[in-house]
Amino acid sequence: MFGLDRDQAIGTLLLIALLIIAPFILYPVFVMQLLCAALFACAFNLMIGYVGLLSFGHAAFFGMGCYVAAWTMKHWHIDALAAILMGGVAGAALGLPLGWLAIRRSGIYFAMITLALAQMVYFFCVEAPFTGGEDGIQQVPRGHLFGFINLNNDMAMYWLVAAVFLAGFLLIHRIVHSPFGQVLKSIRENEPRATSLGYRTDDYKLIAFVLSTCLAGVAGGAKALVFGIATLTDVHYSTSGEVVLTTLLGGLGTVFGPVVGAAVVVSMENYLARFGDWVTVTQGAVFMVCVLAFRRGIVGEIAARLKLSL
Amino acid sequence: MNDTILETQAMTREFSGFVAVDGVSLSVRTGSIHALIGPNGAGKTTCFNLLTKFLQPTRGRILFKGRDITGLAPAQVARLGLVRSFQISAVFPKLTALENVRLALQRARGASFDFWRSERVLDRYNERAMALLTDVGLDHAGDLLAGMLPYGQKRALEIATTLALDPEMLLLDEPTAGMGHEDVERIVALIRRIRPGRTILMVEHNLSVVEGLCDIITVLTRGRVLAEGDYATVSAHPEVISAYLGTAHA
Ligand SMILES: Nc1ncnc2c1ncn2[C@@H]1O[C@H](COP(=O)(O)OP(=O)(O)O)[C@@H](O)[C@H]1O
Ligand SMILES: [Mg+2]
């Protein structure tokens, strides 16, 4: 199913089991925060891990997903799932023009262009009236799912977020293991060769970019509903940096790496919060240790040692 | 002229003032094996880059099967049936040999934008891919990662991948460079076998390969055509002897 091989299928079953027991052991809002970060990192990993393009502006799509989901929820009172999906539509709608501009370059230039474009989105969000500027969009209702499931109940909200996460996770896996994914990998491996076989590589990169930004928007939309708020932090470059860190920490181009990375980063943020600025310092230190000691990231390293495909 | 498959008219390429290819007018006969030889830096690879549109010529025109392809994109040229290989071995290292060849076969589906479908729909190309691998002596390597193959086998894989597109015309950039004697023989035999129905333009340094394989030879030095003809004519050309054969066979 979904192109999972044996190791990955076992890993996925384990992940589903964890999704089921987690809210009974941990604070559900914490797990939801983790799942939103994990989906965001998985979406980012689609670009860096499978197309080989480092986007330094993914917060733009995550943040726009937050704003649009929050705004539609608050002003149109639509269904919660529809609001989350609106976040995805926003991510894709923004990803299409920005991706079109960015994919013409590669390597460090791609990273710089995505960063510059994301900064423009940030300043747009500072100025645009609908985002609420410095205040953001606050007191966003969670509303109902399918009109009758009240999501103010944390457990109900949790199952929705878990389902959205799992769907996104499996979709990414399917993308990577589709005929399209094969071409993506060939572009990552040797773009001139892919071109010489007759593939218009720009088209493939753009579609991958839009899929990635769409899922980043979905992750943002889910986060806005969980916390009932969308703010400038969500579109800030530090959020872009964090998703890079999360993915590197977990393991670039691995299936479970972004999820494990998100678990580490979100846990650190939550449990170290009382130490104030030390969170950032600790994160920096953990990141440096990771890059120096195990370059493949946590999951990449485990997979290499145990000869598994995770 | 109907029997000319590829023609260039005063094709020129400058790199910030330096003229790498200088008014080259080539004419490749349909069905022939045409060699492009010349010392290092003569502009052979640049010619290939121009013909396949990886580089845009500064001046001049390129015609393929009578059609002006000067303004096309590289992927379009490939789809017209003019397919190149690279001087530096070009495989997809982290994909298996089978997947490498299958990526070329997959082109027959048209664009592969279907990200929602399982890659198992590509399994129908496995048999053909295996046959192509067997053809180049890589029947054992289907499941091996291309990056792990020895150099000679990588080159063979590259040719198998190129052949999978069933191109009317192949541009091979030094297909035997860096190979041991046995691998060279294998590649030469392979080129002979695939030649029916195709035209081949190849850059080749090994003159015994050129002598045995090629119908016509164009000698390039400093971006210009120095001489053209069959092996006997070209190798008797005094300037060629001094400019190329002289140094290579001294
Ligand atoms: N992209 C480039 N930019 C600048 N100079 C180039 C470029 N590509 C090739 N050249 C120059 O053009 C000349 C011809 O190179 P090339 O076509 O690779 O020669 P050959 O394949 O015959 O050995 C060389 O002097 C090389 O340095
Ligand atoms: Mg060369």
Side-chain angles (χ1 to χ4, degrees):
Chain A
M1 271 269 278
F2 300 101
L4 294 162
D5 67 23
R6 201 181 54 102
D7 302 344
Q8 292 162 352
I10 293 170
T12 305
L13 289 177
L14 203 67
L15 183 69
I16 293 172
L18 282 173
L19 281 179
I20 294 170
I21 56 172
F24 299 104
I25 303 170
L26 301 161
Y27 184 46
V29 173
F30 164 74
V31 188
M32 286 191 269
Q33 186 190 1
L34 194 162
L35 291 179
C36 294
L39 181 57
F40 183 27
C42 286
F44 171 79
N45 189 38
L46 180 60
M47 283 314 283
I48 180 71
Y50 298 100
V51 194
L53 288 174
L54 170 66
S55 162
F56 227 98
H58 252 48
F61 314 108
F62 179 80
M64 197 50 79
C66 280
Y67 278 125
V68 168
W71 196 90
T72 49
M73 198 65 207
K74 200 166 172 176
H75 296 278
W76 291 351
H77 308 288
I78 56 175
D79 195 83
L81 182 59
I84 292 176
L85 295 179
M86 281 302 286
V89 171
L94 191 59
L96 186 64
L98 300 201
W100 187 81
L101 289 168
I103 47 117
R104 271 141 233 290
R105 295 281 172 273
S106 56
I108 189 72
Y109 300 102
F110 179 81
M112 297 317 284
I113 290 175
T114 47
L115 176 62
L117 293 171
Q119 283 301 96
M120 290 170 58
V121 172
Y122 178 79
F123 288 113
F124 169 79
C125 291
V126 171
E127 297 298 333
F130 92 100
T131 62
E134 298 285 340
D135 297 332
I137 304 176
Q138 299 193 12
Q139 276 150 3
V140 180
R142 281 186 186 170
H144 291 77
L145 177 63
F146 308 133
F148 67 94
I149 303 170
N150 186 348
L151 295 174
N152 285 320
N153 177 335
D154 274 346
M155 284 308 275
M157 187 73 207
Y158 177 81
W159 296 124
L160 173 60
V161 172
V164 167
F165 163 78
L166 195 62
F169 176 84
L170 291 175
L171 173 63
I172 289 170
H173 207 71
R174 166 41 55 85
I175 293 169
V176 170
H177 294 280
S178 67
F180 175 73
Q182 277 286 312
V183 180
L184 284 188
K185 284 181 239 173
S186 78
I187 293 170
R188 175 192 67 188
E189 301 281 291
N190 191 333
E191 184 169 352
R193 182 54 170 163
T195 304
S196 80
L197 295 182
Y199 292 107
R200 287 175 201 267
T201 55
D202 280 355
D203 294 357
Y204 289 84
K205 289 195 275 187
L206 182 57
I207 292 172
F209 192 78
V210 172
L211 287 167
S212 170
T213 59
C214 174
L215 287 161
V218 168
K223 192 193 159 202
L225 258 61
V226 170
F227 292 99
I229 187 168
T231 66
L232 286 173
T233 312
D234 300 319
V235 276
H236 195 248
Y237 69 81
S238 60
T239 302
S240 295
E242 193 168 289
V243 77
V244 177
L245 176 107
T246 302
T247 310
L248 278 174
L249 199 62
L252 281 187
T254 62
V255 180
F256 299 100
V259 183
V260 172
V264 174
V265 170
V266 174
S267 303
M268 278 200 307
E269 271 168 18
N270 275 268
Y271 292 110
L272 299 177
R274 60 190 125 123
F275 300 113
D277 284 345
W278 288 101
V279 183
T280 322
V281 177
T282 316
Q283 268 182 355
V286 168
F287 181 59
M288 274 184 359
V289 168
C290 270
V291 170
L292 294 175
F294 32 94
R295 297 217 177 137
R296 285 179 276 224
I298 300 168
V299 172
E301 207 64 38
I302 293 171
R305 295 261 161 87
L306 303 181
K307 297 204 180 353
L308 298 173
S309 60
L310 297 172
Chain B
M1 270 204 315
N2 263 343
D3 61 352
T4 300
I5 186 163
L6 182 77
E7 190 184 348
T8 69
Q9 298 169 349
M11 181 171 75
T12 300
R13 170 71 202 206
E14 298 174 3
F15 294 109
S16 43
F18 171 73
V19 188
V21 172
D22 191 358
V24 168
S25 294
L26 265 183
S27 171
V28 179
R29 226 176 339 108
T30 309
S32 65
I33 299 187
H34 193 130
L36 197 57
I37 66 171
N40 271 327
K44 306 178 296 293
T45 298
T46 306
C47 276
F48 272 25
N49 283 331
L50 292 169
L51 294 173
T52 49
K53 309 310 304 161
F54 278 70
L55 285 174
Q56 195 56 29
T58 314
R59 280 183 295 282
R61 289 211 307 160
I62 304 164
L63 302 167
F64 181 59
K65 291 193 283 183
R67 176 177 170 185
D68 190 332
I69 61 163
T70 317
L72 297 191
Q76 282 175 303
V77 173
R79 284 187 247 173
L80 287 178
L82 176 58
V83 179
R84 68 176 301 181
S85 72
F86 291 82
Q87 181 170 355
I88 300 157
S89 143
V91 295
F92 304 119
K94 286 189 188 147
L95 300 178
T96 65
L98 185 86
E99 286 173 318
N100 266 264
V101 177
R102 215 172 56 177
L103 266 156
L105 294 170
Q106 193 183 332
R107 270 282 314 133
R109 307 170 77 229
S112 285
F113 293 142
D114 42 353
F115 60 82
W116 56 89
R117 221 173 254 139
S118 165
E119 64 192 349
R120 261 179 237 150
V121 299
L122 302 176
D123 283 353
R124 63 185 148 116
Y125 298 115
N126 286 356
E127 206 176 312
R128 175 95 189 96
M130 258 338 274
L132 283 157
L133 284 175
T134 308
D135 229 16
V136 298
L138 290 176
D139 39 326
H140 65 283
D143 292 330
L144 302 180
L145 292 185
M148 309 293 261
L149 297 175
Y151 182 77
Q153 296 187 10
K154 274 191 193 137
R155 303 287 336 213
L157 174 59
E158 212 187 315
I159 293 181
T161 307
T162 305
L163 283 177
L165 293 171
D166 196 17
E168 237 172 289
M169 180 163 183
L170 281 84
L171 304 185
L172 303 176
D173 200 350
E174 305 196 16
T176 67
M179 278 189 186
H181 184 65
E182 254 172 54
D183 282 334
V184 172
E185 303 248 291
R186 183 195 284 284
I187 296 291
V188 169
L190 180 65
I191 292 172
R192 278 217 176 85
R193 202 140 32 89
I194 63 170
R195 101 169 270 187
R198 295 182 218 280
T199 309
I200 297 169
L201 176 64
M202 61 193 283
V203 172
E204 181 56 64
H205 279 307
N206 187 330
L207 291 175
S208 65
V209 170
V210 172
E211 183 176 16
L213 208 52
C214 302
D215 309 307
I216 188 151
I217 297 152
T218 300
V219 186
L220 216 60
T221 50
R222 293 198 204 98
R224 286 169 185 271
V225 176
L226 181 66
E228 193 169 79
D230 60 19
Y231 189 82
T233 317
V234 165
S235 59
H237 197 292
E239 277 185 70
V240 174
I241 293 168
S242 64
Y244 183 62
L245 304 179
T247 50
H249 277 231

